[in-house]
Structures are given as C-alpha cells and as structure tokens.
Amino acid sequence: MKFVKDVAKTQLNKDQITDQQAEEAFRTILKWIGEDPSREGLFETPKRVVKAFKEYFKGYHQDPMINLKKTFSDVDGYDDMVVEKNISLESHCEHHIAPIIGVVHVAYIPKTKVVGISKLARTVEVFSKRLQTQERLTMQIAKTLMEGLEAKGVAVTINAAHQCMTMRGIKKEKATTVTNCFLGSFKEDLSYQNRYLRLIAK
Ligand SMILES: [Zn+2]
C-alpha cells in the first residue's frame, strides 16, 4: 500500500517549462518590483535564480523510496529505537515561497531491517526540497520511513522558523513551530514516545 501520494511526477509531466521561460518570468518580476533587469548587477540574476530554484526544489525529481531500498539485517538483533537528531532543514513554504529553516529529529524502531543512517537525512531532504507546509512535511517523512523500512514505529519532530512569519506579515522573529508525528509503537506505547522525547530534548 502506498502511504504517500507522489504528486511530483504528475505535476512535472503536465507542462515542461524551459529554463529560458523561467528566466523570463524572473525578469518580469524584477521589472515589477521597480528594477532594471538589464543593468549590469542584475543581468545574470534570472539565470542565477533559476539555478538556485533548481536546488531549492530538486525534491520534485527524486523518489523518496529509493533511499530506503538498501537495508541491512545483520545487526545482532538490535531492536531498540534509532534516533537521528538535529538534521538541518531548509525548505520553502507553499504559501509565500519563503524559507523554512530548522531541524528535524527522526526515530524508528526496526522490525528486521535497518538502514544506513545517512538515508534518514536523505529522506528528509527529498521532501524538504519541495514547496511545503510543516505539517505535511512531518507526515510525509514519517509515513515514508514507516513504509520503506517496514518499521515497528516511527517518530518525526520538526522545529522550524518560517520566514513568512519572521520577515513579513506578523513579524514574530523568535517564533518557531513544532510538529510531531508518531506511528506504530511510538503512538501506541507512551514509554517509547516519552523516551524519544527525552532523547531529542537533550
Ligand atoms: Zn508562508
């Protein structure tokens, strides 16, 4: 059963916009804010922004499950939680295309398979390099790990600042948002959940 709907593929095939068309759109925005896109300092800017956007949104071209295909079972029966803390997060909110900057904590309890630790961060990366809400990002990471690792339980916590809130609008520069998702044993057994919360609080 597929937990996470992969919206990326359907969106991509619909209309293929060329780099040149995207650059032209940024040139229009530069004019619209009152700039002269032909002046020296800005001449190459649309090209650079397109390149940067390709990096910010590379997650649309990545399959989150690929990272979790290679697993290991030779771990001498390790069956406690694996916690990966403070994975740095850079994403963009889908309402303002403003940066979301923070950290992600991820934990899973293996059933039979464990995965290379870097793959947890890679899973975070695939979904964060798309336009997001923090709530959806939390759920997508959790459900993908649960399904991909056939884990007994998964916990995901995100603590992030949204620049659409800190730099504009209500301008609460110290506000951060915390979201959690608990699946399997982390949801059913509060002793797991509490140990996880203690471990990430340190
Ligand atoms: Zn926003």
Side-chain angles (χ1 to χ4, degrees):
M1 181 177 134
K2 215 166 164 46
F3 271 109
V4 179
K5 215 173 23 180
D6 207 348
V7 283
K9 294 228 175 69
T10 50
Q11 280 166 354
L12 277 178
N13 296 336
K14 234 193 260 164
D15 24 15
Q16 287 290 356
I17 307 291
T18 64
D19 287 8
Q20 284 74 15
Q21 285 172 309
E23 286 165 23
E24 199 45 52
F26 284 119
R27 222 165 274 125
T28 304
I29 290 170
L30 284 173
K31 275 188 227 160
W32 173 71
I33 62 170
E35 264 295 354
D36 170 13
S38 64
R39 72 177 174 83
E40 200 193 350
L42 290 178
F43 193 68
E44 296 279 314
T45 297
K47 208 186 249 328
R48 282 189 290 258
V49 177
V50 165
K51 202 171 159 213
F53 263 52
K54 281 186 184 172
E55 203 178 322
Y56 301 157
F57 301 115
K58 65 180 179 196
Y60 287 108
H61 303 273
Q62 295 170 333
D63 176 357
M65 283 299 174
I66 278 177
N67 296 318
L68 305 175
K69 287 235 164 79
K70 198 165 175 230
T71 53
F72 310 90
S73 47
D74 184 16
V75 286
D76 269 358
Y78 184 91
D79 62 355
D80 200 0
M81 65 180 79
V82 177
V83 185
E84 188 73 11
K85 298 200 304 186
N86 298 313
I87 301 166
S88 63
L89 166 72
E90 299 99 28
S91 188
H92 287 81
C93 85
E94 68 181 19
H95 302 131
H96 304 91
I97 321 185
I100 304 172
I101 306 289
V103 290
V104 184
H105 312 295
V106 165
Y108 73 101
I109 304 166
K111 204 177 276 166
T112 52
K113 301 197 271 190
V114 298
V115 73
I117 288 165
S118 70
K119 301 298 190 277
L120 300 174
R122 288 206 186 283
T123 305
V124 171
E125 188 83 354
V126 170
F127 290 113
S128 58
K129 298 301 184 203
R130 297 179 182 183
L131 286 175
Q132 281 294 2
T133 65
Q134 188 174 322
E135 294 86 345
R136 188 201 302 128
L137 179 58
T138 308
M139 297 306 290
Q140 286 179 331
I141 296 166
K143 288 173 175 177
T144 300
L145 291 175
M146 190 73 178
E147 183 188 345
L149 300 177
E150 293 162 22
K152 270 191 221 154
V154 165
V156 175
T157 303
I158 301 181
N159 184 1
H162 292 239
Q163 283 190 10
C164 58
M165 244 191 95
T166 58
M167 282 184 61
R168 57 160 290 288
I170 193 161
K171 285 195 180 144
K172 297 297 179 201
E173 68 276 2
K174 295 224 170 65
T176 64
T177 306
V178 180
T179 46
N180 293 292
C181 176
F182 300 107
L183 299 175
S185 307
F186 284 105
K187 194 183 180 87
E188 292 142 20
D189 185 340
L190 286 183
S191 67
Y192 273 119
Q193 196 179 119
N194 288 333
R195 272 178 60 219
Y196 162 77
L197 291 170
R198 269 203 305 278
L199 283 167
I200 65 162
K202 271 182 202 155

